[in-house]
Structure formats: C-alpha cells, structure tokens
C-alpha cells in the first residue's frame, strides 16, 4: 500500500467515519450508546463479566448470534475499565468487524491448498487484525470522550478552579 491508500484505510479514519455515521446525540451515556448500537445491529446487547477472561491480553470478547450481541469482559473493580472494555466491543460492532474476519471455511475456499485453520492463524498474525483492533480502540476512545463531555459532573480541574 502506498501512503495515500494506507491513510484511506487507517484505524483512525475508520473510527472517525464510524463515529460520525452514528450522528450521536449531544448528551450521551453508556446506556444510550448501547441502545443506539442495538438499533444499528437489529439485536439486543447483553453484557456480562467473565471470570475466564484474565484482563491481560484479552479484556473483552464479543459474540454475535441471530438475535443477540453478547459482550463478555474481564472482572475489574474499576467502572472506567469496565466501560472501556464495553466501548471497545461496541466499536467492533459499529465498524462491522464481524463481516471482515475470515472464517476457517471461507479461508479454505480462498486457499484450497492450505487448511482454513492455518490461513486464519496467518491472518491473525498480520497487520489486518492489528488494524481492526486499533480501529475499535480508537472508536472506543471517541465514545468515551463523548460520554465524558456529556457528563453534568464537573471534571476535577473545574471543581477546584471553577
């Protein structure tokens, strides 16, 4: 890819376009964002903590079924971390990353001389997954800023200095 093409498909640009396409209200909460994404995805979103997730390399997981989007996140005492885990998975949903990931069956069709599992493993080590993870995290940051800017609570600096 040349510089122009890579900028066109950059994680930051993908995230910004996804954010703008939602036309979010000026006052946003996590609950309101979840309801907006439910409408976008035409499915209910369920969120639960999963003791199986360590919070190390994997802090959240998104599973999509015919009728439900399921977000599982690592246990954390921090409400802010929990929110960021959820926002990251919502970012994947908004950016429709489920439509980008190559399944083993499809990979076998594309590369008949290689096992689908091997192709998926190779793609998993490529910049492809780094790009979608960066885009989801960047979109999560945009969501977090929108929620933070919607808060009626003054920020610490504003509380102290007016």
């Amino acid at each position: 890819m040349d510089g122009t093409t890579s900028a066109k498909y950059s994680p930051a640009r993908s995230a910004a376009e996804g954010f703008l396409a939602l036309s979010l209200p000026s006052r946003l909460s996590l609950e309101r964002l979840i309801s907006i994404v439910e409408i976008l995805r035409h499915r209910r979103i369920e969120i639960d903590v999963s003791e199986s997730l360590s919070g190390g390399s994997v802090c959240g997981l998104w599973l999509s079924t015919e009728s439900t989007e399921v977000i599982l996140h690592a246990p954390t005492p921090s409400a802010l971390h929990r929110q960021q885990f959820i926002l990251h998975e919502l970012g994947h949903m908004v950016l429709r990353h489920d439509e980008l990931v190559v399944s083993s069956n499809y990979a076998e069709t594309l590369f008949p001389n290689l096992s689908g599992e091997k192709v998926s493993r190779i793609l998993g080590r490529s910049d492809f997954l780094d790009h979608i993870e960066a885009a989801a995290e960047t979109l999560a940051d945009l969501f977090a800023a929108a929620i933070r800017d919607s808060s009626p609570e003054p920020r610490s600096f504003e509380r102290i200095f007016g």
Side-chain angles (χ1 to χ4, degrees), residues 92-154:
H92 282 301
M93 289 179 207
V94 168
L95 296 172
R96 301 197 170 281
H97 286 160
D98 55 326
E99 297 170 7
L100 298 177
V101 177
V102 178
S103 72
S104 292
N105 293 340
Y106 185 64
E108 286 175 351
T109 304
L110 290 175
F111 305 97
N113 297 332
L114 298 173
S115 75
E117 183 179 319
K118 184 177 280 188
V119 173
S120 294
R121 250 194 345 263
I122 291 166
L123 289 175
R125 286 191 297 235
S126 72
D127 289 341
F128 172 72
L129 286 183
D130 291 343
H131 177 279
I132 65 173
E133 287 303 318
E137 191 60 27
T138 302
L139 184 49
D141 291 343
L142 292 172
F143 289 152
I147 291 169
R148 184 179 55 251
D149 291 346
S150 295
S151 174
E153 294 289 321

Side-chain angles (χ1 to χ4, degrees), residues 6 8 10 24 44 53 68 70 78-79 86 88 97 102 106 112 114 120 146 148 155 158 161:
S6 61
K8 183 179 177 184
S10 75
L24 295 170
R44 188 178 77 256
L53 296 174
T68 309
V70 179
S78 167
I86 294 166
H88 179 92
H97 286 160
V102 178
Y106 185 64
L114 298 173
S120 294
R148 184 179 55 251
R155 294 186 185 105
E158 293 167 341
F161 297 104

Side-chain angles (χ1 to χ4, degrees), residues 44-59:
R44 188 178 77 256
I45 296 174
E46 293 180 7
I47 301 168
D48 204 356
V49 67
S50 173
E51 299 294 332
S52 302
L53 296 174
S54 65
S57 61
V58 178
C59 299

Side-chain angles (χ1 to χ4, degrees), residues 37-82:
V37 177
E38 284 177 327
I39 293 167
L40 175 73
R41 299 288 297 183
H42 305 288
R43 293 181 185 101
R44 188 178 77 256
I45 296 174
E46 293 180 7
I47 301 168
D48 204 356
V49 67
S50 173
E51 299 294 332
S52 302
L53 296 174
S54 65
S57 61
V58 178
C59 299
L61 181 65
W62 162 41
L63 307 166
S64 187
T65 71
E66 292 291 323
S67 61
T68 309
E69 305 287 5
V70 179
I71 296 174
L72 300 173
H73 63 83
T76 179
S78 167
L80 193 58
H81 282 141
R82 178 185 181 276

